[in-house]
Amino acid sequence: MLGTDRRAPGGFAGGDGGDLPGALLDAAAVHTVRRRAGLRPGPAAPLPEPAPADPRGRLPEAARRRLDQLLAGRAAPSPAGRRGAAPDLTELLPQWLTLANRHGFKAPSAALPALLDAARARTDLRPQALRLAGARGLWLARQNPEWRFALRGSGAGGSLPDPGDEKGVRALWEEGLFAERVALLAAVRAEDPAAGLALLAGTWSVERAEDRLMFLDSLRSGLSDADEEFLEAALGDRSRNVRATAAELLSALPRSALAGRMAGRAVSCVGLDRTARTPSVVVEAPHECDAAMRRDGVVATPPAGRGERSWWLGQLVEAAPLSCWPPRFGGRGPEAIVALPVGDDWQAELHAGWCRAAVRQRDAAWSRALLGAPSAPPATGPGTSSLAERAQLLSTLPPAERADWVASFIAAHGLSEAFQLLGVCEVPWAAPLGGAVVDALDIAREAGSYPWSFSGVMGLAERCLAPESARHLDSLTARPDETDEVSPGAGGYWSEAFQRLVSTLRLRAAMHAELAEPPPAPGLPPARDAGPGYRPVPGQGPGYRPVQG
């Protein structure tokens, strides 16, 4: 506390020179060695079970190195040598994982810790990362509490029983944790929808309300008319959320009794006015929300700022099968119905209900009618009032048609309004869509705008343009001459942004090529892929032995 200059350590002399600090440190060193030598070894902890074998193919060497680079997040070299022109590796990791899983590869054992760390930090990576990690990744996750997230949703021991194993499925369903039961129900439902429904029906009456809601949501997978009886019974559930979810699922079954009841209510409120000189739609919204409507999922109390009658009408139209409208309007198809004028300012509410119904029922014909032409004003179509609604309708169209529609929209309106629409297009973008995006970016560059106004679209282009597009973009990486009309420095920023785009596309092309390499020749894996808990035997040639520590 006071120092050796004021108090000498007891029993130790400082030597000829009176080196009291040195004497104290010498005494501490001797005491430390004596204390360590006197420790008795503790009992050895039991070794874990060996990691299970993974029969999937090993990554090609170049792809293994690429995975290490992506997990480390190191920037790839850019053509200009500038940090801002280098690809963002963190955004490419999800694509690499998807490609590797598509090829059926397994993760190198040495990469499993970094892969689990990445999945722990980013929930969007978890499905693909855990698939690549496989059974060995789950084995490793059981050794480290920080990786326990990998075991959530898995069965006992980190894996679900085979859906055909009735005994194992029943045991986990009755004894498992909630997350395990949700995952089990989803797995059984995907394999055999009827068996999944029977599993849920067997314990439905004793489940908690919040659990019933989650389990009911699992029925979206493989939903069919065979589920109607169960869902119809769930309409009488004591939980309002469960009743609402059951009603939503039933309304997605056009032949269900609930869909028929909703159709009857909806067509009684909406019809064709034949007395007018020009055919039009007449609307008489409900005047009350009776008990039968509430049982069928209609929420009686509207949100703040909404009128009751319009709120009830929207729910009826949304839940009614779209097939009920052509007979109601004299055999007209969706486009002709949507084009009819609507009286008394009911058009917005009626069309919004049709939009929600088209998305819920995945009806492409009604979606086309409500979307309208891409040249229509950005935020509106014949039946939409926002780009978000247009994006939802687009999601029901075939991928090629979706891409063509968005390409035409960009050609008519530019990129400033297209971000939400691009997000629902299939990746990689089809040639017409990719060309439209690049042309719009080039126009913005020529106009001298700052590129960060388009940073969101540029980021999407890096991830979604076809990799082979890079060879057409080299001319855009040059720094343009700046004039008085353009923003100062914009040319340099655009050049850097296009350099990053081109280098990212080339890196994605390299990723594809590396993962498509022929698999390694049969034989023992290299030492780094021997598996957790194994290492080469020195001086004994090819061979491995288990080791501790």
Side-chain angles (χ1 to χ4, degrees), residues 66-143:
R66 182 71 66 192
L67 174 61
D68 290 342
Q69 181 191 42
L70 294 173
L71 289 173
R74 295 192 299 271
S78 68
R82 296 172 59 176
R83 181 187 178 109
D88 185 350
L89 299 186
T90 60
E91 292 300 323
L92 293 180
L93 182 57
Q95 285 196 14
W96 188 96
L97 292 171
T98 301
L99 284 170
N101 285 323
R102 192 176 299 160
H103 283 281
F105 290 121
K106 64 180 177 182
S109 294
L112 288 175
L115 188 62
L116 290 171
D117 279 339
R120 177 173 175 258
R122 291 179 56 180
T123 56
D124 62 308
L125 293 178
R126 290 182 183 178
Q128 294 294 338
L130 295 179
R131 181 179 170 189
L132 186 71
R136 285 192 165 194
L138 295 177
W139 176 91
L140 191 61
R142 290 195 294 273
Q143 320 305 322

Side-chain angles (χ1 to χ4, degrees), residues 176-532:
L177 300 174
F178 173 67
E180 295 172 335
R181 300 178 72 214
V182 170
L184 177 65
L185 180 59
V188 174
R189 181 76 177 172
E191 185 77 17
D192 185 349
L197 180 64
L199 195 68
L200 178 57
T203 59
W204 180 258
S205 61
V206 297
E207 304 287 357
R208 300 183 304 167
E210 55 268 32
D211 294 352
R212 292 199 304 276
L213 181 62
M214 289 291 294
F215 291 143
L216 198 61
D217 202 59
S218 299
L219 299 186
R220 296 181 190 277
S221 174
L223 183 67
S224 71
D225 292 336
D227 302 315
E228 180 183 358
E229 182 179 354
F230 179 83
L231 293 172
E232 186 73 28
L235 291 175
D237 195 272
R238 57 185 179 274
S239 167
R240 184 183 68 181
N241 291 331
V242 172
R243 294 195 301 271
T245 302
E248 179 187 346
L249 293 174
L250 283 168
S251 67
L253 299 173
R255 293 188 295 271
S256 68
L258 178 135
R261 295 193 294 271
M262 287 298 195
R265 295 176 181 125
V267 298
S268 69
C269 296
V270 181
L272 188 63
D273 184 0
R274 301 180 185 274
T275 63
R277 179 178 303 175
T278 302
S280 61
V281 180
V282 61
V283 176
E284 181 66 29
H287 290 274
E288 65 171 340
C289 183
D290 57 29
M293 289 172 61
R294 291 195 297 272
R295 183 182 183 276
D296 283 347
V298 177
V299 179
T301 305
R306 289 288 301 274
E308 284 185 335
R309 297 181 66 199
S310 65
W311 172 244
W312 299 332
L313 174 70
Q315 293 180 79
L316 296 182
V317 173
E318 176 182 358
L322 291 164
S323 58
C324 74
W325 297 113
R328 183 62 169 166
F329 289 101
R332 291 175 173 83
E335 290 188 10
I337 294 174
V338 171
L340 290 171
V342 182
D344 298 329
D345 296 325
W346 283 106
Q347 178 170 316
E349 190 66 55
L350 180 61
H351 284 190
W354 280 336
C355 283
R356 295 192 297 271
V359 173
R360 179 182 294 186
Q361 298 171 37
R362 314 304 295 173
D363 192 306
W366 274 88
S367 292
R368 292 187 192 99
L370 293 161
L371 273 168
S375 57
T380 60
T384 58
S385 59
S386 69
L387 282 169
E389 285 183 339
R390 278 187 144 181
Q392 290 178 333
L393 292 171
L394 277 170
S395 69
T396 69
L397 301 182
E401 183 181 354
R402 200 182 312 164
D404 288 342
W405 197 97
V406 177
S408 299
F409 181 93
I410 292 172
H413 307 291
L415 288 171
S416 58
E417 304 286 350
F419 186 79
Q420 285 180 294
L421 306 180
L422 287 169
V424 299
C425 292
E426 188 178 57
V427 177
W429 289 335
L433 177 57
V437 171
V438 171
D439 288 345
L441 288 171
D442 190 20
I443 291 171
R445 180 183 74 108
E446 292 290 341
S449 304
Y450 280 118
W452 49 74
S453 302
F454 303 91
S455 59
V457 174
M458 187 67 81
L460 276 178
E462 293 172 11
R463 300 189 297 274
C464 303
L465 274 176
E468 56 269 20
S469 304
R471 62 178 180 269
H472 304 299
L473 301 177
D474 282 330
S475 62
L476 301 179
T477 62
R479 182 167 183 163
D481 296 330
E482 295 188 6
T483 63
D484 294 339
E485 290 78 19
V486 303
S487 303
Y493 288 118
W494 274 111
S495 173
E496 185 177 276
F498 276 110
Q499 287 175 32
R500 183 170 59 251
L501 175 59
V502 170
S503 58
T504 300
L505 293 176
R506 288 178 175 154
L507 179 55
R508 287 176 53 208
M511 286 164 40
H512 281 263
E514 291 161 358
L515 287 165
E517 286 182 13
L524 285 172
R528 60 176 160 269
D529 200 29

